[in-house]
């Protein structure tokens, strides 16, 4: 960069920081002024993420991501709950296109906002809310909203939320019906889903049906429980999208904690829509975000341990078993002060050229897939 560009970048960063601080003061002032008039439960966090990224094609990005999230619950009646989660994010970086979804940066976003009515026979929730189905840790074939999440790197609050009407009907201590309708599309395209769950001996089981819209559907089944002191879980789904051949996808996993405190997580995912050979991968739909995986077989291995009451470590390894590309994600977390957590994390990818996590320049001209990333995170919870 020349001197003029450097001065322009610094000026933009100063204005961005000023906007972020003004937004924080505005939110706090608004809450202090209005909370006195009503009984509102407020908590949340402020997080600062230092990011250093080295692209697959060379070069790098240095950035600082600031997040402020508030959780507000207002309960005017014992059967009525209003839940709001405003979030503000601001990024200062040498470039911003390394963020997958930068549409919500530098602005106040209502990440979740819903009204919940608790009737004697059912709960009704209307608005933008988090809906999570399935038992898998990394993959959830029965979940049409978040079928794949890097759970070791992404918190639940960063997962996709749905604009929906949801009804939950309890039918005993471990049984019930859960149904929702998405409200952000015309009726023929609307996703509608229902799930029934119960308990059989040591296992929780559920069956689900999803109308994907336009004639498509999905039938799913999942279970979780304990077998010989091992936690076990599984999901299987038959997916029949409109105009596309039907296919199966499933996940099988388990977890165990040893006497020395080490915990282990294992999962195998079968993707019936994927391909065995990397030459047959559907990169067009993958880069467009229409599909989540390119291959057919995947494995995940996770190790975790609490070193003491304040410190924990986690090692996560996810691999495409067809092309042998992988993601390795080590993480260290420590509570350094009351309400303040420090995390040191890294994402390291590897594999042959043309594989899912190490594509060629022709497949990914941005050079971002296959990047090496280091995170330094500070989070203050209040």
């Amino acid at each position: 960069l020349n001197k003029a560009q450097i001065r322009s970048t610094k000026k933009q960063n100063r204005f961005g920081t000023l906007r972020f601080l003004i937004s924080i003061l505005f939110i706090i002032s608004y809450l202090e002024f209005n909370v006195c008039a009503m009984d509102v439960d407020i908590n949340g966090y402020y997080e600062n993420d230092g990011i250093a990224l080295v692209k697959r094609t060379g070069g790098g990005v240095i950035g600082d991501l600031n997040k402020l999230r508030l959780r507000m619950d207002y309960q005017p009646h014992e059967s009525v709950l209003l839940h709001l989660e405003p979030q503000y994010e601001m990024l200062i970086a040498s470039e911003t296109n390394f963020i997958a979804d930068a549409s919500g940066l530098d602005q106040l976003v209502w990440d979740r906002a819903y009204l919940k009515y608790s009737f004697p026979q059912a709960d009704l929730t209307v608005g933008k809310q988090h809906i999570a189905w399935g038992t898998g840790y990394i993959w959830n074939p029965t979940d049409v909203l978040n079928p794949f999440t890097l759970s070791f790197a992404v918190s639940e609050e960063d997962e996709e939320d749905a604009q929906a009407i949801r009804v939950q009907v309890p039918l005993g201590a471990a049984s019930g019906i859960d149904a929702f309708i998405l409200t952000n599309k015309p009726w023929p395209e609307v996703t509608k889903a229902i799930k029934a769950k119960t308990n059989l001996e040591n296992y929780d089981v559920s069956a689900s049906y999803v109308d994907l819209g336009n004639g498509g559907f999905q039938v799913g089944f999942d279970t979780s429980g304990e077998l010989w002191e091992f936690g076990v879980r599984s999901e299987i789904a038959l997916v029949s999208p409109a105009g596309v051949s039907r296919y199966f996808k499933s996940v099988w996993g388990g977890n165990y904690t040893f006497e020395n405190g080490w915990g282990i997580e294992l999962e195998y995912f079968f993707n019936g829509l994927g391909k065995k050979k990397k030459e047959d991968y559907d990169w067009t739909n993958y880069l467009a975000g229409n599909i989540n995986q390119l291959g057919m077989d995947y494995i995940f291995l996770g190790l975790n341990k609490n070193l003491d009451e304040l410190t924990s470590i986690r090692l996560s390894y996810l691999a495409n078993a067809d092309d042998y590309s992988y993601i390795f994600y080590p993480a260290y977390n420590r509570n350094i002060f009351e309400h303040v957590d420090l995390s040191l994390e890294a994402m390291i990818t590897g594999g042959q050229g043309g594989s899912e996590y190490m594509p060629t320049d022709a497949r990914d001209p941005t050079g971002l897939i296959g990047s090496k990333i280091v995170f330094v995170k500070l989070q203050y919870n209040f």
Side-chain angles (χ1 to χ4, degrees):
L1 295 178
N2 57 38
K3 292 182 178 180
Q5 291 174 316
I6 293 173
R7 285 195 299 269
S8 176
T9 300
K10 289 182 177 179
K11 185 176 180 180
Q12 291 175 0
N13 290 345
R14 284 197 298 269
F15 279 125
T17 304
L18 180 61
R19 286 195 301 269
F20 179 71
L21 294 175
I22 290 175
S23 298
I24 292 176
L25 292 175
F26 172 78
I27 293 172
I28 294 174
S29 300
Y30 176 83
L31 293 173
E32 288 180 347
F33 181 77
N34 289 276
V35 167
C36 296
M38 58 183 69
D39 185 15
V40 180
D41 181 23
I42 301 177
N43 63 74
Y45 66 85
Y46 165 72
E47 182 177 316
N48 181 270
D49 298 350
I51 305 169
L53 178 147
V54 178
K55 294 183 180 181
R56 184 194 70 250
T57 54
V61 178
I62 296 177
D64 184 79
L65 180 63
N66 296 270
K67 301 179 183 179
L68 175 67
R69 175 183 286 264
L70 300 178
R71 309 181 192 95
M72 298 182 286
D73 287 326
Y74 173 52
Q75 194 163 9
H77 187 271
E78 62 180 8
S79 61
V80 180
L81 172 67
L82 174 63
H83 180 86
L84 303 173
E85 289 193 29
Q87 176 174 282
Y88 188 92
E89 292 186 343
M90 188 198 69
L91 175 66
I92 302 172
S94 53
E95 62 179 78
T96 59
N97 61 0
F98 72 98
I99 299 292
D101 182 10
S103 60
L105 291 176
D106 205 13
Q107 59 182 291
L108 183 66
V109 176
W110 291 94
D111 190 56
R112 294 175 190 172
Y114 60 82
L115 191 63
K116 184 175 183 179
Y117 297 87
S118 297
F119 299 102
Q121 293 80 22
D123 291 334
L124 172 66
T125 307
V126 180
K128 194 174 183 181
Q129 56 192 288
H130 183 63
I131 301 175
W133 280 10
T135 58
Y137 179 62
I138 301 294
W139 298 277
N140 295 112
T142 62
D143 190 338
V144 295
L145 302 175
N146 289 285
F148 171 66
T149 305
L150 294 178
S151 302
F152 49 81
V154 177
S155 67
E156 179 186 296
E157 292 173 334
D158 292 323
E159 295 179 5
E160 182 178 350
D161 298 316
Q163 191 75 33
I165 300 173
R166 185 183 190 185
V167 177
Q168 295 168 283
V169 182
L171 299 174
S175 302
I177 295 174
D178 188 0
F180 67 84
I181 299 175
L182 301 187
T183 59
N184 58 346
K185 292 182 179 180
W187 182 255
E189 303 175 14
V190 167
T191 298
K192 317 165 197 67
I194 185 169
K195 177 172 72 171
K197 62 179 181 179
T198 190
N199 178 266
L200 300 175
E201 297 295 335
N202 295 326
Y203 295 91
D204 294 324
V205 298
S206 69
S208 59
Y209 176 82
V210 182
D211 181 345
L212 299 172
N214 295 323
F217 69 88
Q218 174 180 296
V219 179
F221 176 81
D222 66 70
T223 180
S224 65
E226 184 175 317
L227 179 65
W228 302 319
E229 298 184 353
F230 288 85
V232 293
R233 55 185 180 269
S234 65
E235 292 183 49
I236 185 168
L238 170 63
V239 189
S240 180
V244 180
S245 300
R246 298 176 182 178
Y247 64 93
F248 281 97
K249 54 181 179 177
S250 64
V251 66
W252 309 83
N255 62 278
Y256 183 77
T257 301
F258 296 94
E259 293 183 359
N260 60 8
W262 278 99
I264 184 171
E265 291 268 1
L266 292 168
E267 274 193 1
Y268 163 73
F269 174 62
F270 171 78
N271 175 29
L273 191 61
K275 304 297 181 182
K276 280 284 189 180
K277 297 181 180 180
K278 61 184 181 181
E279 293 79 12
D280 299 328
Y281 285 168
D282 184 359
W283 283 99
T284 300
N285 279 307
Y286 182 71
L287 294 175
N290 298 325
I291 59 176
N292 298 297
Q293 282 88 32
L294 293 168
M296 186 171 288
D297 304 283
Y298 293 82
I299 58 171
F300 168 76
L301 170 64
L303 297 173
N304 61 83
K305 181 178 175 62
N306 293 326
L307 301 181
D308 53 45
E309 294 182 354
L310 303 176
T311 312
S312 64
I313 57 174
R314 184 179 67 245
L315 303 173
S316 302
Y317 177 82
L318 187 153
N320 180 325
D322 297 318
D323 64 24
Y324 306 112
S325 60
Y326 63 86
I327 297 174
F328 177 58
Y329 199 100
Y332 168 91
N333 180 270
R334 181 172 176 81
N335 178 246
I336 55 176
F337 301 108
E338 186 178 7
H339 306 301
V340 180
D341 294 321
L342 169 68
S343 297
L344 305 176
E345 306 174 14
M347 178 178 287
I348 303 167
T349 56
Q352 298 179 347
S355 59
E356 180 168 356
Y357 302 125
M358 194 59 64
T360 61
D361 295 349
R363 295 297 188 187
D364 174 40
T366 68
L368 295 176
I369 301 178
S371 299
K372 310 296 190 292
I373 312 174
V374 175
F375 303 92
V376 180
K377 301 182 178 181
L378 276 173
Q379 185 176 98
Y380 171 69
N381 300 283
F382 53 86

